[in-house]
Amino acid sequence: MGMAAVLAGTTHAPLTAILIVYELTQSYQVILPLMFAAVVSTVVARSLNRNSIYTSRLRDMGIRVGVMSDLTILRRLTVSDVSLREPVVVAEEDSAQKLMDLSEEHSTSDIIVVDQHGIYAGMVTSDDLKSALIHREAIPLLQVHELERSNLPTITTDDTLDTVIEKFSHNDVESLPVFDAQDIEHPVGVITRKRLMQAYQVELDRE
């Protein structure tokens, strides 16, 4: 029984421990005691350390295992747990040149666009700016509304990170606008892929 308990506890694999010891003994009489010892050992071992003798080595190497536990973390964290970037705002009727100036001044390529009433209208992303820069001679003639994207998904501070990742996966952008759940007209910040993953990594390291 001791061999099964040690093997199950160190590998977190009770079924493997049961089968190996049974193959060695070839005795049906030891099956129930084996099962009891292996299961109890595994439960106790996992309560003391979530990693087995194998996964602990991988964790030390920086390799994460356990997709379901990672998903649990993403569902537990919300956007309010992420350090948001201050929104850089430009009006729809502003010139594209002002957009370029703001981008350079704030070192960002993702800029919030608002209408004449200050209500969120869309975003200009890095790809949009790159497209405009291809034809520099046209920039003085362009206005922001000709470059903005009005179909990007919006995010609230109450959204969980798994929801945010899904929205990112369907849109090839580096950042998305964030709103208070009670006010979806005025963005409170911008969430980036990088900052989202930083918040996730911090929480993962606490596990």
Side-chain angles (χ1 to χ4, degrees):
M1 302 310 107
M3 178 180 176
V6 171
L7 183 58
T10 54
T11 63
H12 293 188
L15 184 58
T16 299
I18 293 169
L19 291 175
I20 289 176
V21 175
Y22 171 72
E23 285 296 323
L24 291 174
T25 62
Q26 291 293 312
S27 173
Y28 291 107
Q29 295 178 336
V30 301
I31 290 295
L32 287 179
L34 272 179
M35 292 174 63
F36 179 78
V39 170
V40 170
S41 177
T42 302
V43 170
V44 172
R46 285 181 176 173
S47 67
L48 296 175
N49 190 337
R50 61 178 294 193
N51 294 293
S52 70
I53 192 173
Y54 303 117
T55 58
S56 61
R57 292 288 299 276
L58 293 174
R59 186 180 179 89
D60 291 341
M61 295 166 61
I63 301 173
R64 304 296 182 181
V65 294
V67 174
M68 291 308 296
S69 61
D70 292 351
L71 186 58
T72 299
I73 293 174
L74 291 173
R75 288 175 175 170
R76 185 170 69 233
L77 295 175
T78 65
V79 174
S80 59
D81 295 311
V82 180
S83 174
L84 301 179
R85 198 192 72 208
E86 285 292 323
V88 179
V89 180
V90 68
E92 283 184 308
E93 64 271 15
D94 284 338
S95 67
Q97 185 58 56
K98 181 175 181 179
L99 190 66
M100 299 296 177
D101 294 340
L102 283 173
S103 176
E104 183 176 351
E105 178 184 348
H106 296 277
S107 300
T108 180
S109 299
D110 298 317
I111 299 176
I112 299 288
V113 181
V114 297
D115 64 16
Q116 58 183 340
H117 302 294
I119 296 174
Y120 173 78
M123 277 189 73
V124 175
T125 69
S126 57
D127 286 342
D128 303 322
L129 288 179
K130 289 175 184 176
S131 297
L133 288 172
I134 293 176
H135 305 287
R136 281 183 173 274
E137 67 280 359
I139 290 178
L141 306 176
L142 292 174
Q143 288 187 309
V144 172
H145 70 85
E146 297 177 87
L147 298 173
E148 73 175 280
R149 297 192 194 188
S150 58
N151 60 345
L152 290 177
T154 56
I155 294 168
T156 71
T157 51
D158 292 339
D159 285 344
T160 56
L161 295 194
D162 65 313
T163 301
V164 179
I165 286 179
E166 183 177 0
K167 290 182 178 181
F168 268 124
S169 69
H170 292 116
N171 297 272
D172 188 20
V173 293
E174 288 302 315
S175 59
L176 288 170
V178 178
F179 299 81
D180 187 280
Q182 307 303 319
D183 180 7
I184 57 173
E185 294 184 340
H186 304 92
V188 296
V190 172
I191 187 170
T192 65
R193 291 175 184 260
K194 181 179 179 180
R195 294 194 180 193
L196 184 155
M197 294 310 298
Q198 286 175 339
Y200 164 71
Q201 188 65 49
V202 168
E203 190 66 20
L204 192 61
D205 289 339
R206 290 175 181 168
E207 293 290 308

